Amino acid sequence: QVQVVESGGGEVQAGGSLRLSCTASGLTFSRYAMGWFRQAPGKEREFIAAISRGSSSTLYAESVKGRFTISRDNAKNMVYLQMNSLKPEDTAVYYCAAGSIATRTNAYDYWGQGTQVTVSS
């Protein structure tokens, strides 16, 4: 049974930082690209960042480029999202997913339940 679990969400003031973590079990972690998405109330789920199986390639949404960094540790079955210079518009539920490196939600096979990030002004 595959499980994807995010952690590290919370509330932070604008300009602050958070680091999200995600662990995946029940699959061969190193065979999957990993992605982060987010969904704000009343909006569609949107792509944030993705990283290839061996960390050689990364993708970022324009809205977070230069502020967010995705990384992974295959030895620990972990993927991270370092978020700096946070803005109120970054407020959303953040989801971690395992699949193929892409910006499309349907490229990912397994999803976590999400972790809330709230950025106050």
Side-chain angles (χ1 to χ4, degrees), residues 27-83:
L27 50 72
T28 304
F29 185 77
S30 61
R31 292 184 180 177
Y32 288 83
M34 299 298 294
W36 286 97
F37 291 74
R38 68 186 180 190
Q39 189 166 18
K43 295 188 177 181
E44 292 188 353
R45 192 169 297 191
E46 65 169 340
F47 169 78
I48 295 302
I51 188 165
S52 61
R53 294 174 292 178
S55 302
S56 59
S57 298
T58 55
L59 296 173
Y60 292 96
E62 284 298 320
S63 59
V64 305
K65 201 172 288 186
R67 299 189 298 124
F68 291 11
T69 303
I70 188 171
S71 60
R72 66 189 293 164
D73 184 338
N74 286 347
K76 296 181 180 179
N77 282 21
M78 296 289 295
V79 61
Y80 307 98
L81 186 68
Q82 178 66 43
M83 306 187 294

Side-chain angles (χ1 to χ4, degrees), residues 90-112:
D90 294 318
T91 295
V93 177
Y94 283 69
Y95 296 91
C96 176
S100 301
I101 186 167
T103 62
R104 313 181 315 272
T105 56
N106 63 9
Y108 295 83
D109 304 306
Y110 305 105
W111 291 81

